[in-house]
DNA sequence: AGCCAGGAAGTCC
DNA sequence: GGACTTCATGGC
């Protein structure tokens, strides 16, 4: 157990912001996070705005701090927004507490292949069934329930198309199997993608079957933390047409437009 | 019944 | 390069 006082951290908003799919509220004000094969529970401190984490200081320092991007000042990002841009000001205000996670690369690839032409509640269900069927079972321990880790590439590479379809993947089943095979077989090397620059990493991700521009940018943003990546989905496309008919001011927000994109996406979801 | 959801591949030109 | 079609599933 670890108590920390944090600003710009709202687990509820992060859980429902559509960047991760295995973070959820399990009791009022208490959230669980399953990231790869790790489990974390986050509770509220008493009244002082602090949080209780179910991990040690060592695990926080070695993993979760980086995962939640605790070293970045999101208040500064929100304050940098053009004061005359009322839409964007409203979006970062409504989304204060959102952070961009650094998620596992393979988990993010598979998860965002599933997101295409899909909706978030259904995506969450599919991913949960995928984990139950192909992920490692991690037994209960005191102070933590049993859960399933996210599947390894090998398990998905060997999965049958029909077995994958039973989970509800639909036409995406073949994408999942083939991409897992490309990774397992060494055609696409994730360690290399992790170490490259944004442009080259994105180019290689596009080599995965079922990964196009939008999904590649989501992977770069939510796993590699490429804050320049600005995935445009149907919500963002509608928003751009409505609020930025002359174009989004990317030059003003160079280096972190993707973070603003996430505030915007959350705003469009809630609206 | 038809439309929509964090799109991409396939098939034209 | 761009336009058009097809692809599964479930909620509304």
């Amino acid at each position: 157990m670890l108590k920390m006082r944090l600003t710009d951290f709202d687990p509820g908003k992060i859980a429902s912001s559509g960047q991760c799919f295995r973070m959820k509220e399990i009791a009022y004000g208490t959230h669980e996070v399953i990231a790869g094969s790790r489990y974390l529970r986050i509770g509220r401190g008493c009244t002082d705005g602090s949080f209780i984490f179910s991990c040690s200081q060592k695990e926080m320092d070695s993993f979760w701090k980086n995962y939640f991007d605790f070293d970045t000042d999101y208040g500064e990002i929100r304050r940098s927004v053009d004061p005359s841009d009322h839409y964007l000001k409203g979006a970062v205000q409504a989304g204060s507490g959102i952070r961009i996670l650094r998620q596992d690369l393979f988990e993010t690839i598979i998860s965002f292949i599933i997101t295409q032409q899909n909706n978030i509640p259904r995506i969450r269900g599919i991913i949960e069934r995928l984990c139950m069927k192909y992920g490692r079972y991690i037994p209960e321990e005191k102070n933590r329930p049993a859960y399933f880790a996210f599947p390894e590439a090998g398990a998905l590479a060997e999965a049958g198309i029909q077995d994958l379809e039973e989970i509800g993947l639909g036409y995406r089943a073949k994408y999942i199997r083939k991409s897992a095979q490309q990774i397992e077989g060494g055609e696409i090397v994730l360690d290399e993608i992790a170490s490259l620059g944004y442009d080259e990493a994105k180019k290689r991700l596009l080599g995965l079957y079922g990964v196009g521009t939008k999904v590649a940018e989501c992977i770069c943003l939510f796993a590699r933390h490429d804050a320049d990546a600005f995935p445009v989905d149907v919500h963002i496309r509608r928003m751009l047409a409505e609020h930025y008919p002359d174009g989004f001011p990317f030059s003003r927000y160079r280096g972190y437009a993707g973070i603003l994109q996430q505030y915007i996406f959350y705003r469009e979801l809630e609206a």
Side-chain angles (χ1 to χ4, degrees):
Chain A
M1 298 286 273
L2 173 64
K3 185 173 180 178
M4 287 177 74
R5 192 166 296 175
L6 295 159
T7 57
D8 290 293
F9 181 56
D10 188 326
K13 290 182 187 175
I14 294 171
S16 62
S17 71
Q19 62 174 305
C20 60
F21 304 100
R22 303 195 74 197
M23 180 172 180
K24 67 176 182 184
E25 188 170 45
I26 53 173
Y28 184 73
T30 300
H31 294 264
E32 74 169 17
V33 187
I34 304 175
S37 59
R38 295 170 189 265
Y39 184 97
L40 179 71
R41 201 175 52 254
I42 309 169
R44 291 249 173 222
C46 302
T47 56
D48 56 356
S50 62
F51 295 88
I52 310 281
F53 295 90
S54 67
C55 66
S56 64
Q57 181 73 57
K58 186 177 174 184
E59 293 169 302
M60 175 59 68
D61 293 341
S62 65
F63 183 80
W64 295 109
K65 184 175 69 133
N66 181 58
Y67 181 83
F68 289 114
D69 197 26
F70 281 150
D71 287 337
T72 298
D73 184 352
Y74 283 74
E76 183 181 345
I77 291 169
R78 289 186 286 110
R79 287 190 297 275
S80 77
V81 171
D82 181 354
S84 70
D85 188 338
H86 298 110
Y87 172 77
L88 194 50
K89 270 289 181 189
V92 298
Q93 172 82 14
S96 72
I98 288 175
R99 311 183 78 86
I100 305 293
L101 307 176
R102 282 190 185 78
Q103 300 181 75
D104 176 76
L105 187 52
F106 180 70
E107 176 169 356
T108 308
I109 289 169
I110 298 302
S111 296
F112 277 88
I113 287 175
I114 294 170
T115 63
Q116 61 183 92
Q117 201 65 20
N118 213 337
N119 60 69
I120 291 178
R122 192 162 168 270
I123 293 163
R124 300 175 74 97
I126 292 171
I127 291 176
E128 212 46 47
R129 291 190 290 278
L130 189 73
C131 294
M132 290 174 68
K133 196 160 183 173
Y134 298 102
R136 183 163 55 95
Y137 176 74
I138 301 181
E140 171 183 9
E141 283 186 10
K142 46 181 179 290
N143 207 24
R144 166 176 72 58
Y147 64 99
F148 290 90
F150 196 85
E152 304 290 328
L156 297 182
E158 293 170 8
I161 291 293
Q162 201 155 2
D163 293 319
L164 287 168
E165 285 174 343
E166 282 175 13
I167 290 170
L169 276 165
Y171 68 90
R172 306 168 196 83
K174 56 183 179 293
Y175 296 162
I176 298 301
R177 176 175 156 89
K178 180 69 186 297
S179 284
Q181 288 175 342
Q182 288 177 281
I183 292 164
E184 185 66 9
E187 179 188 338
I188 306 281
V189 182
L190 299 193
D191 286 343
E192 289 181 12
I193 290 177
S195 66
L196 292 166
Y198 170 46
D199 292 333
E200 184 61 27
K202 177 177 165 184
K203 192 181 300 180
R204 296 212 190 180
L205 287 167
L206 290 173
L208 288 165
Y209 187 55
V211 174
T213 302
K214 187 268 173 184
V215 168
E217 289 174 1
C218 282
I219 296 164
C220 286
L221 181 58
F222 300 133
R224 289 169 42 88
H225 213 272
D226 288 314
D228 273 314
F230 194 92
V232 178
D233 75 318
V234 291
H235 301 285
I236 298 294
R237 194 175 305 284
R238 270 199 293 269
M239 178 284 302
L240 289 172
E242 183 178 353
H243 297 285
Y244 300 95
D246 300 323
F248 187 79
F250 288 108
S251 57
R252 179 188 172 101
Y253 305 113
R254 197 168 302 281
Y256 64 102
I259 297 177
L260 299 176
Q261 185 272 2
Q262 193 57 18
Y263 284 114
I264 292 167
F265 183 77
Y266 176 79
R267 178 74 178 142
E268 293 299 311
L269 270 191
E270 300 301 303

